[in-house]
């Protein structure tokens, strides 16, 4: 298949692009390199440096079978401070993409969606039928894109699958030894920050909130290895159906608290992990966890890597890419 991967120079996009190339697909990456890295493009994929707003020019060059759309802004706190960036960037970019796909008859779309669309869940595990009630502009912008995709699919026959990710960690290592992992200029996520502490680049891990109604008082999240996530994208290509927009959660179904993650990072890296107990971070739900029933039935998918493997792979990647 010939695919366009928007945002394919970013963390998840580059992992999926590498898995697609490895699977024998022809891959073009469209990325403005605002947060991505050109050396994250897998050998064999073509990079077009540009904005998703101009995706029409790329889709007009040659016939594509599928677009995988990762290009987006994804920092929750930033979205609260600068909602315009998320509405214009995430929604505007996706609308430009949908219009261009219709104009150039690209039949299939896989969208990088998010659990942030659910907001504070009424019950866990979260099923896809749970009400969408995002608590920040990031989640709202991604929900708006999901709603636009539903309308375009029904009206114009697009076959689309949205994959709503929960927490993602780990890295991919190719048979050529290349690594694809997380390298964010602004890092806000728990596992990479804990690894910075393990590496000695940061003095201590701040634990945001120890008074949640959970067994150890810290928040529980559902972590998934990025290669399991990539596998789900490859499977989603097989089930896309004209005129339908399917929405599928991707999580492991197993939750880990912040303290459990900190312990695992210390165990896996063999390093001390000093922690500071802090107040709650605004907007954090106490527990997030995905129902993986639909992913299993629709995609025949189940995660294969546990938390320690995610941390070990992320640690290997971080050590090979110090300071990034
Ligand atoms: N967290 C923390 N310290 C950090 C970063 C995150 O205690 O330095 C907590 C955060 O409050 C949340 C969990 O770790 O409960 C996962 O946060 P992350 O930002 O990785 O993902 P999110 O669940 O917000 O998407």
């Amino acid at each position: 298949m010939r695919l366009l991967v928007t945002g394919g120079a970013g963390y998840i996009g580059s992992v999926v692009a590498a898995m697609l190339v490895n699977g024998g697909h022809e891959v073009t990456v469209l990325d403005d390199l605002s947060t991505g890295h050109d050396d994250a493009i897998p050998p064999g994929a073509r990079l077009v440096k540009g904005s998703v707003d101009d995706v029409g020019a790329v889709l007009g060059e040659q016939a594509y079978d599928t677009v995988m759309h990762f290009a987006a802004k994804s920092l929750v706190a930033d979205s609260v401070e600068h909602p315009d960036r998320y509405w214009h960037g995430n929604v505007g970019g996706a609308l430009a993409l949908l219009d261009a796909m219709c104009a150039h008859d690209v039949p299939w779309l896989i969208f990088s969606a998010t659990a942030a669309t659910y907001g504070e869940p009424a019950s866990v595990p979260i099923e896809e039928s749970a009400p969408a009630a995002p608590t920040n502009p990031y989640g709202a912008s991604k929900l708006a894109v999901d709603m636009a995709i539903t309308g375009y699919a029904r009206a114009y026959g697009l076959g689309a699958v949205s994959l709503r990710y929960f927490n993602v960690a780990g890295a991919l290592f190719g048979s050529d030894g290349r690594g694809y992992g997380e390298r964010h200029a602004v890092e806000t996520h728990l596992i990479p920050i804990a690894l910075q502490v393990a590496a000695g680049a940061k003095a201590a891990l701040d634990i945001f909130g120890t008074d949640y109604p959970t067994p150890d008082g810290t928040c529980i999240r559902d972590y998934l290895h990025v290669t399991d996530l990539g596998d789900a994208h490859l499977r989603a290509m097989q089930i896309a159906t004209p005129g339908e927009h399917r929405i599928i959660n991707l999580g492991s179904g197993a939750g880990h608290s912040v303290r459990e993650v900190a312990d695992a990072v210390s165990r896996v890296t063999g390093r001390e992990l000093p922690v500071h107990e802090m107040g709650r971070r605004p907007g954090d739900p106490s527990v997030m966890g995905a129902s993986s029933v639909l992913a299993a039935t629709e995609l025949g998918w189940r995660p294969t890597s546990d938390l320690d493997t995610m941390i070990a792979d992320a640690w290997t990647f971080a050590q090979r890419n110090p300071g990034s």
Side-chain angles (χ1 to χ4, degrees):
M1 281 229 244
R2 183 180 293 144
L3 292 103
L4 179 67
V5 179
T6 74
Y11 171 38
I12 295 171
S14 67
V15 168
V16 175
M19 292 174 79
L20 287 166
V21 169
N22 201 35
H25 298 288
E26 189 182 325
V27 175
T28 298
V29 167
L30 174 63
D31 199 301
D32 65 5
L33 300 180
S34 58
T35 54
H37 304 266
D38 55 2
D39 63 358
I41 309 295
R46 179 173 74 108
L47 171 65
V48 176
K49 185 174 178 298
S51 163
V52 75
D53 293 335
D54 304 321
V55 65
V58 184
L59 291 183
E61 277 173 4
Q62 55 181 345
Y64 285 90
D65 304 294
T66 300
V67 175
M68 294 215 183
H69 182 44
F70 298 94
K73 296 201 170 298
S74 61
L75 299 175
V76 170
D78 184 51
S79 79
V80 175
E81 215 171 317
H82 304 287
D84 48 314
R85 293 181 187 167
Y86 288 73
W87 287 105
H88 288 291
N90 292 358
V91 180
L95 293 178
L97 174 64
L98 287 167
D99 288 339
M101 289 181 70
C102 291
H104 298 290
D105 296 321
V106 183
W108 316 121
L109 171 67
I110 311 298
F111 175 54
S112 166
T114 171
T117 53
Y118 296 114
E120 177 81 45
S123 64
V124 175
I126 302 172
E127 292 179 359
E128 290 78 356
S129 56
T135 53
N136 53 65
Y138 165 63
S141 70
K142 287 280 191 168
L143 175 62
V145 175
D146 266 342
M147 294 170 106
I149 294 172
T150 302
Y152 274 68
R154 273 197 204 126
Y156 307 126
L158 184 70
V161 181
S162 285
L163 298 173
R164 287 187 174 166
Y165 316 154
F166 284 62
N167 295 65
V168 184
L172 168 71
F173 299 99
S175 51
D176 58 0
R178 281 175 65 98
Y180 304 86
E182 217 163 346
R183 285 188 281 164
H184 294 134
V186 181
E187 191 50 79
T188 63
H189 291 121
L190 176 63
I191 290 177
I193 289 176
L195 291 173
Q196 290 173 0
V197 177
K202 196 175 184 311
L205 172 69
D206 293 335
I207 295 188
F208 297 139
T210 53
D211 60 347
Y212 284 97
T214 59
D216 68 15
T218 65
C219 289
I220 293 176
R221 294 289 180 273
D222 182 340
Y223 296 90
L224 191 64
H225 197 294
V226 70
T227 57
D228 282 327
L229 189 75
D231 175 40
H233 286 73
L234 271 63
R235 289 167 185 262
M237 290 200 298
Q238 314 301 322
I239 67 153
T241 307
E244 285 185 25
H245 176 208
R246 300 195 202 181
I247 295 178
I248 300 174
N249 288 343
L250 292 181
S252 71
H256 296 282
S257 73
V258 175
R259 284 193 208 280
E260 284 171 358
V261 171
D263 289 347
V265 166
S266 181
R267 185 173 61 243
V268 169
T269 62
R271 308 274 177 98
E272 288 287 311
L273 202 77
V275 300
H276 281 158
E277 296 190 357
M278 314 284 285
R280 293 182 176 196
R281 188 172 71 174
D284 270 339
S286 56
V287 182
M288 289 291 282
S291 163
S292 29
V293 173
L294 210 56
T297 53
E298 295 263 317
L299 301 174
W301 174 89
R302 65 177 186 83
T304 58
S305 292
D306 62 11
L307 181 67
D308 282 18
T309 308
M310 284 173 228
I311 292 171
D313 289 346
W315 178 235
T316 302
F317 182 81
Q319 285 186 303
R320 283 195 203 168
N321 298 275
S324 63

